[in-house]
Amino acid sequence: MGQGLWRVARNQQLQQQYSEQCFLQRDRERDRRVGPPLAEPLQQRRTPQCQVSGTDISHLLRVRKGKEEQGFIDLEMMPPELSITILSYLNATDLCLASCVWQDLGNDEYLWQGLCKSTWGHCSIYNRRLPSGFSYRKLYMELDEGSLTFNAHQQEGISYFMSRGILVDHPKEIAKFIFYTRMLNWKMLRIYLDERRDVLDELVTLHNFSNQFLPNALRDFFRHIHAPEERGEYLETLITKFSHRFCACNPTLVQEVGLSPACWLKMTSPHVKNKMSKREFIRNTRRAAQNISEDFVGHLYDNIYLIGHVAA
């Protein structure tokens, strides 16, 4: 159930085993030197330095033997903080399996809240006052169901989220949900954004391209908003929106360079078969922006040539 679970648990087991061996070894050495005390009860013997004060060694040995017979380490015998830390390494499937063995720990709200927010970074319901009896485990199941529905039919998926109170029907809220979620099918997402241009506008404004190199900024943009398979009106719309956002984030650079990303998309687009040479690109770009330096344009070309297309 995850390498993190057994790695931490194994370390705990080794520390306990070392304590037990240390106690037994010191006890045998003492008996060899002076013999076992006749009048001193076992409970009154001096506690070795490696033994934790107040620990019942016989109980630890019984627990260890029982755990070895069962074939796994019982997390309920550990401090709650350590048990929760171990289980936090698990995904939802493994956590459900763990709850079959450790019911209280596996259903812990803290764990399921972490899973919800790490998978779906923004939901409208996160910012509301939660009702009595609210369950993050149930919310996770609803978010997972809604994502699967979206990946089959985008509009039905969004409607599902709204009907469960997970999302508010507002372009900015929907855009944030899309921006911080990685479980949505990119093809369905592209269709949805083409239909909801108001959501697309809000999604573009969530990007911060400050001090980013132009090709890298476009790559980041197309990781969230996938380019269409064919050139057309929607692709031109995306480039225009990106251009405006990039200029807004880098006013000083744009003023110095005077270059719009749209003028060199032809070279970077995967849909164009005949690519320009570096010399052609520099010549054509400097025609569009005469005050731009040849070195800067050369760096643009080299970045695309070495790293690859900005849209795939």
Side-chain angles (χ1 to χ4, degrees):
M1 277 188 280
Q3 294 182 356
L5 168 66
W6 298 114
R7 182 168 60 252
V8 178
R10 180 58 178 165
N11 290 339
Q12 180 77 2
Q13 184 184 38
L14 291 175
Q15 292 176 3
Q16 178 181 314
Q17 186 176 10
Y18 174 78
S19 248
E20 296 166 1
Q21 291 177 350
C22 182
F23 170 79
L24 295 175
Q25 182 178 1
R26 290 175 64 91
D27 202 27
R28 285 196 297 268
E29 290 178 356
R30 178 179 177 179
D31 290 344
R32 263 199 318 271
R33 290 195 304 265
V34 299
L38 299 178
E40 182 183 10
L42 179 62
Q43 296 91 327
Q44 297 179 2
R45 294 186 183 181
R46 184 170 56 89
T47 302
Q49 293 179 356
C50 62
Q51 182 188 11
V52 180
S53 178
T55 301
D56 187 350
I57 295 299
S58 61
H59 173 69
L60 290 176
L61 293 174
R62 287 196 302 271
V63 170
R64 177 191 173 194
K65 182 178 180 181
K67 287 187 293 187
E68 290 176 350
E69 292 175 352
Q70 295 172 15
F72 63 88
I73 298 175
D74 190 356
L75 295 182
E76 293 181 347
M77 302 301 299
M78 297 182 179
E81 297 82 1
L82 178 58
S83 301
I84 294 298
T85 301
I86 293 172
L87 293 178
S88 66
Y89 286 93
L90 305 183
N91 58 30
T93 302
D94 290 340
L95 189 57
C96 286
L97 294 174
S99 66
C100 298
V101 181
W102 305 290
Q103 186 173 2
D104 292 338
L105 291 173
N107 293 323
D108 186 85
E109 282 291 282
Y110 173 81
L111 294 174
W112 287 102
Q113 179 183 6
L115 283 174
C116 287
K117 294 189 176 181
S118 63
T119 310
W120 299 272
H122 177 84
C123 294
S124 303
I125 195 172
Y126 294 159
N127 300 321
R128 292 201 219 125
R129 185 173 183 178
L130 301 178
S132 177
F134 176 84
S135 170
Y136 273 103
R137 177 170 178 166
K138 180 182 178 182
L139 176 61
Y140 184 97
M141 303 306 174
E142 291 178 344
L143 285 167
D144 188 58
E145 179 68 22
S147 298
L148 294 175
T149 304
F150 181 95
N151 294 341
H153 191 283
Q154 70 281 357
Q155 194 58 53
E156 291 182 5
I158 295 296
S159 299
Y160 177 91
F161 290 128
M162 293 178 182
S163 66
R164 297 298 192 279
I166 297 173
L167 271 183
V168 173
D169 188 8
H170 189 278
K172 190 171 185 178
E173 285 296 301
I174 300 175
K176 286 183 178 180
F177 175 79
I178 293 173
F179 187 80
Y180 294 107
T181 299
R182 298 292 179 266
M183 291 189 63
L184 304 180
N185 181 272
W186 64 270
K187 291 184 178 180
M188 293 298 174
L189 187 57
R190 187 174 62 196
I191 296 173
Y192 180 79
L193 293 176
D194 192 13
E195 296 172 348
R196 291 291 303 269
R197 297 298 177 92
D198 55 342
V199 176
L200 177 60
D201 290 339
E202 295 291 345
L203 186 59
V204 171
T205 59
L206 291 174
H207 290 80
N208 183 7
F209 301 123
S210 299
N211 300 319
Q212 287 195 35
F213 194 43
L214 194 55
N216 294 336
L218 257 180
R219 291 189 185 96
D220 182 54
F221 180 76
F222 282 124
R223 270 195 293 268
H224 289 90
I225 307 174
H226 291 268
E229 296 176 356
E230 298 180 357
R231 296 181 62 89
E233 184 271 337
Y234 181 54
L235 179 59
E236 296 301 325
T237 298
L238 292 180
I239 293 301
T240 301
K241 292 182 182 297
F242 167 80
S243 177
H244 293 160
R245 182 59 182 167
F246 184 85
C247 292
C249 294
N250 300 278
T252 304
L253 176 64
V254 173
Q255 185 177 5
E256 293 175 354
V257 173
L259 176 65
S260 170
C263 71
W264 54 274
L265 179 68
K266 293 181 180 180
M267 182 195 71
T268 62
S269 173
H271 311 308
V272 178
K273 295 181 179 179
N274 298 321
K275 306 297 182 183
M276 287 183 282
S277 67
K278 184 174 183 178
R279 181 177 298 177
E280 291 173 334
F281 176 71
I282 294 176
R283 183 177 64 248
N284 293 339
T285 303
R286 297 197 70 185
R287 284 177 183 173
Q290 297 180 0
N291 62 332
I292 191 172
S293 69
E294 184 174 334
D295 289 340
F296 179 80
V297 182
H299 290 326
L300 291 179
Y301 188 96
D302 293 338
N303 184 279
I304 302 300
Y305 181 81
L306 295 174
I307 299 179
H309 298 308
V310 296

